[in-house]
Every structure is written in structure tokens, then in C-alpha cells.
Amino acid sequence: MTTMNISLPDALRSFVNDQVSARGYRTSSEYVRDLIRNDRDRQRLRGLLLEGAASPQAGIADADYFNTLRRRVRDAGPR
């Protein structure tokens, strides 16, 4: 693992330290890594949503559509 140093104003450093204490992180590095992972996941999800929005409509999402999905999930059973 490589090291990256960042500079924060006092107010942000205090906020990070408060979050570390309040949310059960062991270190500020752990907190920042979690923020970065969450941002990466958010960007990936946004990309998938935009891709889906740009794709052609496959059909109507009515009650029958959702009932079919529920039945497929039930039939698949627990994993």
C-alpha cells in the first residue's frame, strides 16, 4: 500500500476526527478510504443508471412485469 498525504484546514480535520470517533473508524485513513470507496461505487452506479436510461425501452413495467420478476425470484430459491 502506498502513502498519500493530504492537507486539510482545521475545520475539516476536526470534522474528520469527529467522524472517526463517532462512526467507529480506527484511523482517519480508514475513514478516507471508506469515503473514496463509496464515491467510486456511487460513480459506477451513476454510470449504470445513465446507461440504462439511454437504452431502448424493453417493455412496460406494469403489475404483470413485477409479478413475473417475483415469481422468477421465488422459483430460484435461496442461494
Side-chain angles (χ1 to χ4, degrees):
M1 185 179 315
T2 61
T3 300
M4 176 186 284
N5 295 314
I6 60 170
S7 298
L8 297 174
D10 290 340
L12 286 179
R13 181 183 169 132
S14 178
F15 176 79
V16 168
N17 289 336
D18 291 346
Q19 294 303 301
V20 168
S21 296
R23 297 174 68 187
Y25 293 98
R26 289 176 288 173
T27 65
S28 57
S29 292
E30 189 178 272
Y31 174 67
V32 171
R33 282 192 299 271
D34 195 38
L35 290 176
I36 293 168
R37 281 188 210 100
N38 288 338
D39 189 46
R40 181 187 59 199
D41 293 346
R42 182 193 58 80
Q43 288 182 26
R44 181 174 178 270
L45 177 58
R46 184 176 191 276
L48 291 171
L49 289 170
L50 290 173
E51 182 182 324
S55 67
Q57 184 175 351
I60 298 173
D62 58 7
D64 288 335
Y65 171 80
F66 287 105
N67 288 334
T68 300
L69 286 178
R70 288 184 190 98
R71 187 171 43 256
R72 286 174 52 195
V73 169
R74 264 194 318 272
D75 292 346
R79 293 183 182 224

